[in-house]
Amino acid sequence: MTKRILILIFFLCAGLLFLFYILLRGSRDLFTDPFSVVPDDAPFFIETYNFPALMNSLAENNGLLNDMALLMGAGKFADNFNGMRNYLNKNDLLSILENRRAVLSFHLTGDSKLRPLLVLTIPDKVSKWRIEGYIKNIPGTVTDKVLIGRYRINRTFWKNRRDEYTLFWCYLPGLIIFSNVQELVESAINTGEKEKSMRAFPDVSRLIALSSNREDKIYIIFRNLKPLLALLNGNSSKELAEKLSNMAVSAEGDMFINENGYLFSGFVDNTGQSGSFFKHNQDEVPELSAFRRLPSGCIMIETFLISATISEKFKTNKYGFTGQVTGELLPALDGEFVKAVAELRKDAGKNGHIFVFKLKSRDIAEHVILKNMEEWCRQNNMDEEALTSFFQPDDQIKIPIYVTPFKGMASLLSGSENFVPDSLITFYENYMIASGNLELIERFLYDNILNKTLSTEIEFREFETTLPSRASYFFYCKPSAVIDFLRDYLGDTLTNKLVAGRTILKKISCAGYKYLPGENMIYHMLSVRYGEGIEVETGTEWETKLEGAVISKPFFFTNHNTGAKEIVVQDDRNYLYLINAAGRVLWKIEPGERVNGNFFMIDFYGNNKFQILFASRTTLFLYDRNGNPVERFPVKLRSPASGPPSLFDYDNNLNYRIFIPGEDKYIYAYDKYGNVVKGWKPFRTNGTVKSEIKFFRVSGKDYIVAADDKSIYFLDRTGNIRLKTSVPVTCAAGSEIRFDKLVGNSLVFSAPDGTIQTVSFDGKVSRFSTGKFSTEHFFDLFDIDGDGYGEYIFIDRGKLYLYDNDRSELFIRDFGTEKVLGPMNFIFSATDRKIGIYDYANNMIYLVDRYGNNMKDFPLKGYSKFSLGKFTDKGNYNLIVGGNNNFLYNYKLNKEEKD
């Protein structure tokens, strides 16, 4: 019995050993690493842990892949990509390929085309017969076979409505290899057998070991870029190919794709590349910030830290006077240096350079510049004052700009000997700015004064959040705008392709790159922002950055010192601003409450000096031109206001009266000190007054007119009823009350149903209708043709209606949305008058003439109600309106009509 048990145990062990041998032998033939079959000549490749999901993400999250394929003339590639995606998304294949590691590499084949090679891992339990069965069952496919050594390559055909597709694939234990050319599948098989793959390439294996798990990754092999660049650029820029191939050894980046674009973050292997691009290394990495002071609209930026060893080159006489001054400046520099390219506005189609140096000491830097300018002028018998001009946007700002003899200083500090014009130098706060173009110097100063810098662009701020705050190098560009500037670097062939595809490139709003220092391994990040919407330039004269979005209608306020006009406006953070004609914020205060209705200008002291009067729901405010409260203001109202205030000066003697309707249904009258007017008995209305109270003087009698949702009231100066109408009348909530001399000196307004009503000053009422309107309509009377008689204006459900004073229809204008406000009526001259409309659904503003046509250059972008006026009596008309991203826009108007 014991002998039999021992024999049984012996055979059991032998069987287990034999099974172990079979499994061990089988495992030698099992491929588990997709890198093991990828040929090492790929310029770039992608690693993923879920290939179908990656393909769907590339195709569905945004259209950048397809657009770039079209741009480079690879429309067929995009079709093949989408065809393969649909093919692999079939349910049976998807169940095998999901959540499996894969590598998609790209190779130049014998026909000089860039072709894809896909290597997918599959579970070892999935046999090649099972794979073949899945593929044969896909409708519309035909498969045949080609033998290559001991492996079989399958060729599968399928069609769609436009094209035929061919896919070559091969099953290896644990892997499937796909490509649209047989040559690459054969190369992969041979690579796996000869063990000459990407896995064996040490420059890649180092990055693979560092990279994170489970993220999609892209790898770049710089030595393999030369032939690809030659293909793209027609061999027209060998220098570029040489520089790029020597830039580094290899690079890796985890890929994150969303509807806003692509983000790549990972490592660069810089082993042995002493002359590498990645040379701006520092032991301590600060947060780069100087580039944020650049004027908005820069198309390319490069910022980095000036090397501490760069001063050695200035000890020689090679760079002459420029080298001497540059060396003296070094101790005053904070180390951060920015060079940027911006489009010139005065010379359309051309670009200029601007350089920004962050300073440790502005005093020392300015002293070095002035001292050496003085010395140079003495040696060359020049007048130093002749080399100084001034930027003076208004009467309070005067910034010197020096025309220096130091040419190429910025280039030296950036480590380049290709000198760029930079002899104009100015200082602003703790920065030194240099350029060869006066426009760019002045734009830098002006945009910083207006707080309209790169850091205030919402697109740039959102983009910057995708990159790390600390870096030793930062590059940024707007691809569509830098094409022509980069022609010398890219060559004509590639540049011409990009120019032809500029519309596609405009969808890439910006791209940026940062890296952190290291010795052989450098951490880097690339962000590419993509969007279908293309932002259009506003065409403003200036744009001023505020703390919040404009909520009030801008108000033209007179500077009593100069006679010029300034702008009063409030934002949604309740800040109140006074802004001068140059767009500079003179002061900003926080009343603590939001303006209710309009601003008013009064002469409180009767000395021809003006103050700003306005009310909130609970308080009456009065500020002088310096932003200081006047006398006992602010003053609390007797009742919270139900409507906006009105200001009257009955006899033009500065004896102001301020009327405000209260939530308690009383109408209150205040004097300019904020006291309740003696002799006025607060009048109680039947309903709640929500509109401005009006004042009219007819035949020597005063009429104070108020309307609620139930009736209209005609009062005298004491608050007693002066007039009663012959029949009850009600004023629509959106109707103005206007004086109309056409119908026997009467008041005209609309009823809630749109009926036009006139009330004469003997109480008689007449009515007529021009059409049917909703209760939400707006109505006004405006003499748009300048003949002395008003026309009837309605706005209802997104349409503007104009009727002549004989009640005939002049036009109906449909704005395509019901979210429009107006009318706002503007008079340029006796015969030139316009109706203003604010489309708050699309943030567009319109000026419409008496025929229903847009004024030239309209519509314009606008985000609030707007005002028109002149900053000076001899100046042009300016339109002031709230802008996007908390800006205030100033448009200079061209008043010629469209045909």
Side-chain angles (χ1 to χ4, degrees), residues 280-557:
H280 305 290
N281 298 339
Q282 297 284 329
D283 293 333
E284 295 184 8
V285 183
E287 181 176 348
L288 300 176
S289 60
F291 62 86
R292 299 192 182 101
R293 305 307 296 265
L294 287 167
S296 62
C298 286
I299 61 174
M300 189 165 69
I301 301 166
E302 189 178 17
T303 180
F304 50 84
L305 301 171
I306 299 172
S307 171
T309 61
I310 202 168
S311 59
E312 292 299 319
K313 66 167 58 179
F314 307 126
K315 292 180 179 179
T316 69
N317 294 324
K318 181 179 179 180
Y319 303 105
F321 197 31
T322 298
Q324 172 189 322
V325 176
T326 308
E328 291 179 17
L329 268 175
L330 279 175
L333 302 182
D334 195 36
E336 187 177 346
F337 173 64
V338 180
K339 53 181 181 178
V341 178
E343 293 176 313
L344 300 177
R345 294 168 181 166
K346 296 178 182 177
D347 199 352
K350 293 189 177 180
N351 303 311
H353 286 83
I354 186 167
F355 306 93
V356 181
F357 305 81
K358 192 174 183 181
L359 301 174
K360 289 179 184 175
S361 171
R362 171 175 170 171
D363 290 340
I364 293 176
E366 201 160 6
H367 173 73
V368 168
I369 296 298
L370 292 176
K371 181 196 72 172
N372 282 280
M373 280 183 64
E374 181 182 357
E375 175 63 21
W376 186 88
C377 288
R378 187 185 62 77
Q379 292 177 7
N380 293 273
N381 197 26
M382 290 282 293
D383 181 5
E384 188 178 350
E385 290 186 4
L387 298 180
T388 304
S389 62
F390 293 92
F391 174 68
Q392 194 166 3
D394 57 38
D395 57 356
Q396 297 178 31
I397 299 290
K398 189 175 182 181
I399 301 174
I401 300 172
Y402 306 112
V403 184
T404 74
F406 325 133
K407 298 179 181 179
M409 184 174 63
S411 301
L412 284 180
L413 287 169
S414 65
S416 171
E417 297 190 10
N418 297 320
F419 285 3
V420 176
D422 60 355
S423 57
L424 297 175
I425 292 176
T426 192
F427 293 86
Y428 185 81
E429 294 182 355
N430 208 35
Y431 298 93
M432 183 176 75
I433 304 95
S435 179
N437 189 285
L438 181 61
E439 177 191 330
L440 293 184
I441 291 279
E442 292 183 339
R443 197 198 303 179
F444 179 96
L445 296 172
Y446 196 27
D447 282 9
N448 274 271
I449 289 170
L450 300 185
N451 196 23
K452 187 180 181 292
T453 59
L454 194 65
S455 63
T456 63
E457 287 186 357
I458 189 168
E459 179 182 77
F460 183 83
R461 287 212 319 265
E462 290 177 352
F463 158 78
E464 200 180 2
T465 61
T466 65
L467 294 172
S469 59
R470 296 187 179 277
S472 59
Y473 177 84
F474 173 48
F475 175 84
Y476 166 87
C477 75
K478 295 183 176 181
S480 65
V482 300
I483 302 170
D484 294 322
F485 176 78
L486 295 175
R487 183 178 290 274
D488 291 341
Y489 301 93
L490 301 178
D492 290 339
T493 303
L494 184 54
T495 302
N496 291 338
K497 285 182 182 179
L498 297 175
V499 169
R502 197 186 294 269
T503 302
I504 292 174
L505 279 179
K506 282 185 177 180
K507 296 180 184 179
I508 306 175
S509 59
C510 57
Y513 181 77
K514 282 187 176 182
Y515 69 75
L516 299 174
E519 294 184 3
N520 293 329
M521 286 294 177
I522 295 168
Y523 178 73
H524 68 145
M525 185 173 285
L526 169 69
S527 179
V528 179
R529 302 284 285 181
Y530 173 89
E532 293 290 341
I534 299 173
E535 188 68 25
V536 179
E537 287 286 334
T538 59
T540 55
E541 184 78 2
W542 50 250
E543 298 177 12
T544 297
K545 181 75 170 179
L546 308 180
E547 295 290 337
V550 172
I551 57 166
S552 67
K553 184 179 179 181
F555 176 72
F556 280 86
F557 176 80

Side-chain angles (χ1 to χ4, degrees), residues 144-148 151-155 168 182 186:
D144 58 18
K145 300 165 186 176
V146 179
L147 286 174
I148 300 294
Y151 295 107
R152 185 172 63 194
I153 297 178
N154 302 275
R155 180 172 54 184
F168 294 88
Q182 181 176 329
E186 293 180 12

Side-chain angles (χ1 to χ4, degrees), residues 863-891:
Y863 295 74
S864 73
K865 288 186 176 182
F866 56 95
S867 298
L868 288 171
K870 292 183 176 182
F871 286 115
T872 61
D873 291 338
K874 297 181 180 180
N876 294 311
Y877 276 96
N878 292 80
L879 186 152
I880 310 298
V881 65
N884 189 24
N885 189 28
N886 301 344
F887 278 101
L888 181 71
Y889 290 169
N890 167 29
Y891 294 99

